[in-house]
Amino acid sequence: MKTIGVLNGPNLAQLGTRETEIYGTETLEDLEQLLRKEAQTLGATIITEQSNHEGIMIDTLERWSKQGVTGIIINPAAYSHTSVALRDAISGLSTPCIEVHISNLYQRESFRQHSLTAAVCQGAICGLGFTGYVLALNALIQQSNPTSLTHQKADAVTSK
Ligand code: DQA
């Protein structure tokens, strides 16, 4: 069965009470439940983790990649804007990663408008709330399907 890892970074365990005008009132548990249901309808499964620690997040990425997960959804939160170490970790993975942010970074402070990590992810989604995670999940599952165009394109590039 296809497995997608969902890794949430610092302060995202406080969803539901943290800056609700920006992040809404739904909790991390609500998010994980939503994704578990969506994965089920896609015939897949998810594994989830939240950490406030950069090194733990890197260890998780390495572990999931070694486990052979199909893809990874990552919200590195504040580390997106600061962490070269996390960027290097993502960059070294052969597993496709999609970065998601709940809020629209481009409507916020200028320091949030650059992500070190998004540049080494396959794609990035921001500003769509929890829907961004659902879209990322669908994209990772769809492109892992051998008949998907993205998959064929990737094969064509690697066979050159
Ligand atoms: C966030 C945006 C980051 O700038 C911030 O530090 C977060 C959450 C988001 O999901 O919108 O903690 O990643």
Side-chain angles (χ1 to χ4, degrees), residues 16-83:
T17 53
R18 169 193 182 203
E19 297 181 277
T20 51
E21 65 292 355
I22 297 174
Y23 301 114
T25 53
E26 288 186 295
T27 65
L28 182 61
E29 249 176 47
D30 294 333
L31 171 63
E32 292 178 351
Q33 207 179 323
L34 173 72
L35 294 175
R36 212 162 281 124
K37 269 197 198 153
E38 182 71 13
Q40 214 178 350
T41 66
L42 295 167
T45 187
I46 59 161
I47 47 177
T48 60
E49 191 164 306
Q50 185 278 328
S51 177
N52 294 328
H53 305 277
E54 197 176 20
I56 293 178
M57 292 180 71
I58 293 169
D59 289 346
T60 301
L61 290 173
E62 273 180 20
R63 192 176 66 250
W64 284 352
S65 177
K66 277 191 198 136
Q67 264 172 244
V69 297
T70 307
I72 294 172
I73 300 171
I74 183 167
N75 182 346
Y79 287 139
S80 317
H81 318 301
T82 62
S83 178

Side-chain angles (χ1 to χ4, degrees), residues 10 18 23 75 77-78 81 101-103 105 108 112:
R18 169 193 182 203
Y23 301 114
N75 182 346
H81 318 301
H101 295 279
I102 296 164
S103 63
L105 302 179
R108 302 188 64 194
R112 292 186 204 277

Side-chain angles (χ1 to χ4, degrees), residues 73-139:
I73 300 171
I74 183 167
N75 182 346
Y79 287 139
S80 317
H81 318 301
T82 62
S83 178
V84 175
L86 204 47
R87 176 190 168 116
D88 287 349
I90 296 168
S91 186
L93 298 179
S94 49
T95 312
C97 288
I98 297 182
E99 179 162 313
V100 174
H101 295 279
I102 296 164
S103 63
N104 183 342
L105 302 179
Y106 304 101
Q107 291 173 349
R108 302 188 64 194
E109 302 96 323
S110 58
F111 67 83
R112 292 186 204 277
Q113 292 175 16
H114 182 65
S115 169
L116 292 171
T117 45
V120 292
C121 287
Q122 190 187 3
I125 301 171
C126 81
L128 301 180
F130 287 1
T131 304
Y133 290 81
V134 173
L135 293 173
L137 178 63
N138 276 271

